[in-house]
Amino acid sequence: MTFSEHLLNLRTERCLLQKDVAKGTGISLQTYQRYEYGHREPQLSTLVALADFYDLSLDELVCRERPKRVKRKDGN
């Protein structure tokens, strides 16, 4: 899933309008729409605002799954 698809899913699952998310995060409606349509990627400060708005970690917001680390023979 792309970041823009994830934004759309988060918003629609909560029955929110784009303007609700824009207002709740302090960004313009047009800017938020560009993120959701995949035309722009947000800066870190906007990602933090979106994560706070949706009560998610940054990793959860950007659909990041940490790779499992393979232990080396020397234990590190």
Side-chain angles (χ1 to χ4, degrees):
M1 176 182 309
T2 66
F3 176 69
S4 59
E5 291 170 334
H6 190 56
L7 278 182
L8 174 63
N9 287 342
L10 288 168
R11 182 177 61 77
T12 56
E13 286 172 356
R14 290 162 175 79
C15 301
L16 297 169
L17 300 174
Q18 289 177 333
K19 67 180 181 178
D20 298 327
V21 180
K23 183 177 180 180
T25 56
I27 58 177
S28 74
L29 174 58
Q30 187 176 26
T31 298
Y32 176 77
Q33 289 171 331
R34 288 180 179 147
Y35 300 148
E36 196 171 286
Y37 299 151
H39 297 165
R40 273 182 76 180
E41 291 187 5
Q43 294 182 355
L44 180 59
S45 58
T46 303
L47 289 171
V48 169
L50 286 165
D52 288 346
F53 180 81
Y54 286 117
D55 194 27
L56 300 171
S57 70
L58 286 174
D59 282 347
E60 292 169 319
L61 178 68
V62 298
C63 309
R64 181 173 181 261
E65 292 184 26
R66 296 188 72 169
K68 293 185 180 183
R69 294 185 180 201
V70 177
K71 281 201 168 196
R72 297 186 323 202
K73 289 182 181 181
D74 62 6
N76 293 322

